[in-house]
């Protein structure tokens, strides 16, 4: 018997299967140790066969399996193949997505604990009665064990000191065995099961989806009760003996969803995201693989969970940008989910109050079944949204961060004991620190970007590479003390609020305050418990959270997202406003939204304030169609990065010429709407120079052209230059 093995080395040179002899029977999908060159390497057994294509005497033997179970399922292999072609990655990179990374090279193992127990109760009692009176420790341990039956040696030694237990073991009264203990994330999260009766609209959606397997889009306004729909669908899936995946866009949202799901499905729910410790991730992954957990709640990487017999995939807030991975390997979770659902023959359910343009387009053109939930639970109206013209404020002498209306609404919230959320999509104190005299702005040495001023830890930080620099109080160039701060960030908002309401507890939630383990959970539960009255935060606070006492949402600087240089800027802004606004007035209390802007008449704000998704969709889709932007075309970015600027530049030139040839060929003439090469808008990140080629294609031969471009990147192997191909990138930085 022979085995085909993929070697776990991320190099395109070994990106193929190697033949090995199989002496013992090892399951397909196992990790194995094999001789490779003059080293031993880890690999994945992907196939068994009787035949090999060349001289069997030269074929080496698999040394051993690394675990006693297969780590990749057949379905996952199929998906890995798809990822390989779709995203032009190596099979090894593709397979790695399915495993806890620390498992490779054995950096994480089962956590074992030693358990002590009484061998023979009668003998133990006899022993006890024969003990001398002053052997108090021995008596205590024995009585304890006779009482509880068994406990870990660590616990016993903690309680009674080390000596006594050892003596009992030596005397043959107590025996031990080892067993793995599970590292379970967020054990403290346990919701209370609410026995809600589904509304007619919820029930309709559940029935419709349960009736036939397919891809669905639920377009439901914020607060329409989508979570209950997902849970009801999951219940049916579990009842029919299958398993399910529930994706949410942010780690910060997982505790809330986990609580809901645990309250209903208990320990059958596993949690998967990048914020878990290595041990937690490994244990949860194993629970899923071994069928002990049947539902996985998690962020985007949970789409790769090793569930068998998959019956349902749900992607909540499907429009969210975090579903697209922006680092290697660059995948789009929805595309992956569509494929996984197809392989497993199960349904895919996408949900959002503001579906992304492409998905909604797919839904109305029949690629997804569209289901609508138009009302909030109890027909509560969506909270009124007031647009405040900040230029007008300045004309009236208010140069502060907060408009008059926002301040008076905040006053009301504080007096009434309710809660407010203030949204500002920039962390730190201010976007930069600049000299008014000579215009000097501090920049990162590794990246081509301005440093952000963080007052809290008194440092200038780079948001691209996390480097820290000293703050200056006089300009390093000209010595002037006349310094200017850039646009407002979360810290500055908190500082101002603290001055206005010295007795009110205010929380800040952004990348800085959530970096330690369970950081999101701690802040959110503090806010939920009512301990704090105001929560200030970045987009982390915008999504999906359900805080019944929140009656006011303030959006400090909406324009920031509107003026990003991406064709999706208007769409992202509309989604963001709708999401943030959806946090207010969810329970019995009436809520209100204040949106501050310098361009109050912009159509995005007009339509967002009326919660008019459909009109927005029509307007935006129309605009994209006439200007030739996705979803009516495809944008490709080829990004070249290198530590040596010339190399990145030269590579760009080489590829540009190749693509140009394609553009001019008879075959593809007319398929290219745009082709251009340039330095990237952020010319350097983490000491790597960045150049790019931008391509815009019509949707006739796009797949063909994309695969040609992929194979170009394979043929022209460039030394010391990395090439990334992105399709419809959200950011071009
Ligand atoms: P969405 O995800 O659509 O924004 P949620 O699922 O968070 O909305 O639901 C909004 C609120 O309505 C939640 O507090 C939820 O507990 C409540 N809810 C949902 N369905 C029902 C129902 N059928 N009856 C009563 N309350 C419900
Ligand atoms: Zn200066
Ligand atoms: Zn940097």
């Amino acid at each position: 018997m022979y085995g085909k093995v993929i070697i776990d080395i991320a190099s395109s040179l070994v990106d193929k299967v190697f033949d090995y002899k199989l002496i013992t029977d090892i399951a397909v999908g196992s990790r194995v140790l094999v001789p490779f060159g003059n080293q031993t390497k880890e690999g994945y057994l992907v196939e068994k066969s009787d035949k090999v294509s060349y001289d069997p005497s030269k074929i080496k033997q698999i040394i051993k399996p690394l675990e006693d179970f297969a780590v990749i399922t057949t379905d996952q292999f199929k998906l890995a193949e798809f990822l390989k072609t779709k995203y032009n990655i190596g099979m090894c990179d593709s397979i790695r997505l399915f495993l806890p990374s620390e498992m490779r090279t054995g950096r994480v193992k089962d956590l074992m604990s030693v358990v002590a127990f009484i061998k023979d109760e009668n003998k133990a009692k006899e022993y006890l009665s024969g003990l001398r009176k002053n052997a108090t420790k021995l008596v205590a341990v024995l009585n304890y064990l006779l009482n509880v039956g068994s406990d870990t040696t660590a616990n016993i030694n903690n309680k009674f000191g080390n000596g006594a237990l050892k003596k009992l073991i030596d005397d043959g009264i107590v025996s031990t065995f080892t067993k793995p203990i599970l590292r379970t994330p967020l054990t403290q999260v346990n919701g209370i099961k609410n026995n809600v009766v589904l509304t007619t609209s919820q029930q309709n959606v559940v029935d419709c989806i349960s009736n036939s397997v397919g891809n669905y889009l639920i377009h439901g306004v914020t607060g329409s009760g989508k979570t209950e729909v997902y849970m009801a669908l999951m219940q049916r899936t579990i009842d029919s003996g299958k398993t399910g995946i529930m994706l949410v866009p942010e780690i910060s949202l997982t505790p809330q969803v986990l609580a809901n799901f645990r309250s209903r499905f208990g320990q059958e729910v596993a949690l998967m995201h990048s914020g878990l410790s290595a041990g937690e991730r490994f244990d949860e992954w194993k629970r899923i693989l071994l069928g002990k957990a049947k539902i996985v709640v998690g962020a985007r990487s949970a789409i790769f969970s090793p569930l068998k017999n998959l019956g349902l995939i749900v992607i909540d807030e499907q429009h969210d940008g975090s579903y697209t991975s922006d680092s290697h390997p660059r995948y789009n979770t929805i595309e992956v989910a569509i494929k996984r659902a197809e392989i497993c023959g199960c349904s895919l359910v996408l949900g959002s109050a503001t579906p992304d343009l492409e998905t909604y387009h797919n839904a109305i053109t029949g690629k997804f079944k569209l289901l609508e939930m138009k009302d909030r639970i109890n027909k509560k109206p969506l909270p009124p949204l007031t647009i405040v013209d900040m230029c007008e404020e300045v004309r009236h002498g208010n140069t502060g961060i907060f408009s008059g209306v926002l301040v008076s609404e905040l006053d009301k919230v504080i007096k009434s004991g309710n809660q407010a959320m203030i949204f500002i999509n920039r962390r730190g104190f201010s976007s930069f620190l600049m000299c008014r005299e000579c215009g000097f702005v501090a920049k990162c040495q590794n990246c081509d970007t301005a440093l952000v001023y963080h007052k809290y830890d008194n440092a200038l930080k780079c948001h691209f590479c996390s480097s820290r620099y000293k703050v200056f109080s006089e300009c390093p160039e000209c010595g002037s003390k006349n310094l200017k701060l850039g646009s407002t960030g979360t810290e500055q908002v908190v500082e101002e609020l603290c001055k206005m309401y010295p007795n009110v507890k205010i929380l800040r939630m952004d990348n800085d305050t959530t970096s330690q383990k369970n950081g999101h959970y701690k802040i959110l539960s503090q806010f939920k418990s009512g301990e704090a009255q105001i929560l200030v935060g970045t987009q982390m606070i915008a999504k999906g959270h359900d805080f019944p006492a929140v009656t006011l949402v303030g959006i400090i600087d909406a324009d920031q997202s509107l003026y990003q240089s991406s064709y999706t800027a208007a769409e992202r802004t509309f989604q963001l406003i709708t999401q943030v606004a959806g946090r207010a007035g969810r329970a019995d209390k009436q809520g209100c939204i204040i949106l501050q802007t310098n361009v109050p008449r912009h159509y995005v704000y007009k339509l967002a304030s009326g919660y008019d998704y459909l009109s927005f969709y029509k307007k935006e889709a129309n605009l994209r169609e006439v200007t030739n932007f996705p979803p009516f075309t495809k944008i490709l970015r080829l990004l070249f990065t290198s530590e040596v600027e010339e190399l990145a530049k030269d590579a760009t030139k080489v590829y540009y010429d190749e693509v140009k040839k394609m553009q001019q060929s008879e075959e593809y003439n007319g398929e290219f709407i745009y082709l251009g090469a340039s330095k990237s808008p952020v010319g350097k990140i983490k000491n790597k120079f960045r150049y790019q080629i931008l391509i815009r294609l019509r949707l006739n031969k796009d797949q063909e052209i994309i695969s040609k471009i992929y194979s170009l990147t394979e043929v022209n192997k460039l030394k010391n230059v990395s090439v990334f191909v992105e399709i419809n990138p959200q950011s071009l930085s």
Side-chain angles (χ1 to χ4, degrees):
M1 196 61 128
Y2 299 94
K4 299 199 181 298
V5 173
I6 288 169
I7 309 295
D8 193 14
I9 305 174
S11 151
S12 50
L13 299 175
V14 293
D15 189 27
K16 54 180 175 193
V17 286
F18 291 85
D19 288 313
Y20 285 92
K21 268 189 203 125
L22 256 176
I23 302 294
T24 51
D25 193 28
I26 304 171
V28 168
S30 299
R31 289 197 322 129
V32 289
L33 201 64
V34 292
F36 190 74
N38 45 20
Q39 292 173 302
T40 55
K41 288 283 173 198
E42 296 182 351
Y44 308 95
L45 178 64
V46 295
E47 205 185 315
K48 288 197 272 195
S49 135
D50 300 329
K51 288 185 240 97
V52 276
S53 43
Y54 59 93
D55 186 358
S57 68
K58 292 205 177 119
I59 293 182
K60 293 182 200 158
Q61 191 178 311
I62 289 180
I63 300 169
K64 61 170 189 187
L66 287 158
E67 285 88 16
D68 53 9
F69 49 87
V71 298
I72 314 257
T73 65
T74 339
D75 287 352
Q76 285 181 320
F77 265 129
K78 288 188 196 148
L79 193 57
E81 294 275 358
F82 164 81
L83 297 170
K84 176 182 155 66
T85 352
K86 178 92 191 172
Y87 301 114
N88 195 34
I89 54 177
M91 196 58 187
C92 166
D93 288 319
S94 186
I95 288 179
R96 283 181 181 182
L97 288 166
F98 296 88
L99 303 173
S101 60
E102 298 84 359
M103 195 175 168
R104 299 176 4 237
T105 65
R107 282 164 294 155
V108 65
K109 294 208 164 54
D110 285 332
L111 180 64
M112 302 303 281
S113 74
V114 183
V115 180
F117 66 100
I118 303 247
K119 264 170 136 174
D120 177 329
E121 207 175 307
N122 291 332
K123 246 171 99 185
K125 282 182 179 153
E126 208 174 290
Y127 181 90
L128 182 63
S129 57
L131 283 173
R132 276 185 291 144
K133 282 230 170 61
N134 58 358
T136 47
K137 286 255 168 75
L138 286 179
V139 174
V141 173
L142 256 184
N143 275 327
Y144 173 72
L145 275 177
L146 280 167
N147 207 4
V148 297
S150 68
D151 197 0
T152 63
T153 54
N155 271 348
I156 299 172
N157 289 339
N158 255 341
K159 282 195 170 91
F160 305 101
N162 285 342
L165 184 61
K166 186 172 181 307
K167 170 109 176 77
L168 291 171
I169 295 170
D170 289 347
D171 288 349
I173 301 301
V174 169
S175 218
T176 60
F177 64 94
T178 54
K179 69 160 195 196
I181 35 177
L182 283 179
R183 288 152 289 193
T184 308
L186 293 176
T187 38
Q188 69 274 39
V189 170
N190 278 304
I192 305 151
K193 186 164 189 241
N194 57 340
N195 290 309
V196 296
V197 179
L198 295 185
T199 61
T200 325
S201 136
Q202 287 173 320
Q203 192 62 51
N204 283 344
V205 171
V206 172
D207 290 342
C208 185
I209 296 173
S210 318
N211 278 342
S212 81
V213 171
N215 293 338
Y216 295 89
L217 171 64
I218 304 177
H219 176 215
V221 298
T222 55
S224 57
K226 294 188 283 296
T227 315
E228 287 297 333
V229 169
Y230 304 148
M231 287 203 287
L233 288 168
M234 215 46 104
Q235 185 74 62
R236 294 197 182 193
T237 308
I238 299 299
D239 290 347
S240 69
K242 298 197 165 180
T243 62
I245 297 177
M246 172 75 221
L247 297 185
V248 293
E250 280 262 345
I251 294 178
S252 71
L253 270 171
T254 53
Q256 181 180 312
V257 178
L258 186 69
N260 278 326
F261 273 69
R262 273 194 185 149
S263 74
R264 193 187 268 231
F265 304 106
Q267 290 315 305
E268 300 212 313
V269 184
L271 182 65
M272 266 294 177
H273 60 68
S274 58
L276 303 184
S277 70
E280 286 170 345
R281 188 165 32 247
F282 179 66
D283 286 357
E284 286 292 80
W285 174 86
K286 226 172 131 182
R287 261 181 1 105
I288 302 165
L289 183 78
L290 302 178
K292 295 190 175 126
K294 301 210 162 61
I295 299 172
V296 180
V297 169
R300 69 171 179 238
S301 60
I303 191 66
F304 301 111
S305 307
L307 288 161
K308 286 167 195 153
N309 206 2
L310 190 63
L312 178 68
I313 304 173
V314 178
I315 304 186
D316 192 23
E317 316 281 4
Q318 67 73 221
H319 62 274
D320 199 278
S322 68
Y323 286 122
T324 311
S325 151
D326 56 4
S327 57
H328 184 72
R330 296 167 189 241
Y331 63 87
N332 173 324
T333 313
I334 295 183
E335 284 172 355
V336 179
I338 292 175
K339 190 66 192 181
R340 188 156 189 192
E342 182 195 311
I343 293 170
C344 303
C346 74
S347 283
L348 167 65
V349 176
L350 308 178
S352 174
T354 50
D356 74 275
L357 222 82
E358 180 163 4
T359 304
Y360 199 77
H361 179 73
N362 282 337
I364 54 179
T365 52
K367 283 194 207 153
F368 285 90
K369 284 178 211 149
L370 181 62
L371 300 166
E372 304 264 1
M373 290 167 70
K374 295 202 166 98
D375 295 313
R376 280 190 150 184
I377 292 292
N378 302 331
K379 307 251 179 212
K380 278 193 62 62
L382 285 154
L385 191 155
T386 308
I387 299 172
V388 181
D389 181 353
M390 290 308 277
C391 297
E392 193 64 33
E393 293 284 315
V394 173
R395 280 194 287 277
H396 286 92
N398 176 11
T399 53
I401 303 174
F402 307 110
S403 58
V405 197
L406 184 51
V407 173
S408 75
E409 288 297 333
L410 268 168
D411 287 344
K412 279 191 223 159
V413 167
I414 301 302
K415 281 206 193 82
S416 64
N418 289 325
Q419 290 182 308
M421 288 167 93
I422 305 292
F423 172 79
I424 168 105
N425 215 2
R426 188 185 291 110
R427 69 192 165 93
F429 191 83
S430 74
S431 57
F432 57 79
L433 191 58
M434 189 177 100
C435 169
R436 282 185 204 267
E437 305 281 331
C438 75
F440 173 83
V441 175
K443 287 200 160 184
C444 178
Q445 283 162 10
N446 313 321
C447 313
D448 195 6
T449 52
L451 297 171
V452 179
Y453 173 45
H454 287 245
K455 193 170 184 178
Y456 181 76
D457 33 13
N458 193 34
L460 291 165
K461 290 190 198 168
C462 172
H463 284 191
F464 285 86
C465 73
S466 308
S467 301
R468 296 164 71 99
Y469 298 82
K470 270 215 183 90
V471 173
F472 48 88
S473 53
E474 31 186 271
C475 172
E477 289 286 305
C478 75
S480 161
K481 287 195 169 138
N482 190 358
L483 302 173
K484 177 185 177 220
L485 292 173
S487 354
T488 313
T490 45
E491 282 183 1
Q492 200 176 345
V493 171
V494 171
E495 187 177 287
E496 288 299 314
L497 286 170
C498 287
K499 281 185 210 151
M500 286 156 61
Y501 306 107
N503 300 320
V504 169
K505 178 148 179 158
I506 299 161
L507 293 167
R508 169 162 67 95
M509 184 154 136
D510 55 28
N511 269 340
D512 298 309
T513 59
T514 53
S515 54
Q516 354 104 289
K517 194 155 187 310
N518 298 336
H520 305 97
Y521 176 70
K522 284 176 195 152
I523 296 172
L524 292 173
S525 44
Q526 249 179 312
F527 190 58
K528 190 143 198 167
S529 72
E531 207 178 297
Q533 256 185 304
I534 306 178
L535 175 63
V536 175
T538 55
Q539 84 274 356
M540 282 180 192
I541 66 168
K543 306 171 186 175
H545 299 289
D546 193 24
F547 298 115
V550 170
T551 54
L552 170 67
V553 167
I555 303 171
I556 297 297
D557 178 5
D559 305 345
Q560 194 204 330
S561 126
L562 198 57
Y563 291 129
Q564 263 158 16
S565 64
S566 161
Y567 70 96
T568 56
E571 183 185 357
R572 296 269 160 231
T573 310
F574 184 87
Q575 288 162 345
L576 198 61
I577 295 169
T578 313
Q579 287 302 323
V580 188
R583 300 313 112 216
R586 292 172 69 87
D588 322 323
K589 299 166 185 164
Q590 180 63 34
C592 87
I593 324 292
I594 310 291
L595 183 151
Q596 302 187 163
T597 166
N598 289 320
V599 281
R601 272 165 289 278
H602 197 289
Y603 74 93
V604 169
Y605 299 144
K606 282 251 160 84
L607 295 170
S609 67
Y611 298 97
D612 191 355
Y613 175 81
L614 208 59
S615 300
F616 176 77
Y617 170 80
K618 283 182 188 150
K619 186 171 173 80
E620 191 65 18
N622 187 31
L623 199 68
R624 300 260 187 102
E625 190 161 16
V626 295
T627 52
N628 282 319
F629 274 92
F632 304 96
T633 58
K634 251 185 204 143
I635 296 181
L636 256 73
R637 166 162 86 153
L638 278 66
L639 177 68
F640 300 85
T641 66
S642 174
E643 276 168 24
V644 185
E645 182 159 16
E646 282 309 308
L647 291 180
K649 212 166 158 179
D650 293 347
T652 311
K653 178 91 180 66
V654 170
Y655 279 83
Y656 177 79
D657 291 344
E658 290 289 333
V659 180
K660 188 90 195 161
K661 271 188 228 156
M662 283 169 75
Q663 185 193 23
Q664 287 165 344
S665 72
E666 207 165 300
E667 203 180 352
Y668 300 128
N669 194 338
E671 295 302 320
F672 286 73
I673 300 160
Y674 177 86
L675 170 64
S678 65
K679 195 170 182 166
S680 298
V682 183
K684 188 174 76 167
I685 295 178
K686 294 185 188 169
N687 274 326
K688 287 197 169 163
F689 293 91
R690 300 154 61 83
Y691 280 78
Q692 65 191 31
I693 298 174
L694 279 181
I695 303 166
R696 195 138 36 99
L697 296 174
R698 294 193 197 284
L699 299 184
N700 304 311
K701 301 185 177 164
D702 54 313
Q703 286 308 338
E704 213 175 297
I705 297 175
I706 290 170
S707 38
K708 288 229 160 114
I709 288 174
Y710 277 157
S711 38
L712 269 185
T713 63
E714 288 199 339
V715 179
N716 294 350
K717 282 278 163 285
L718 300 161
K719 268 224 164 108
N720 302 321
V721 183
S722 315
V723 195
F724 296 106
V725 183
E726 287 167 286
I727 295 170
N728 296 346
Q730 300 175 32
S731 144
L732 291 180
S733 52

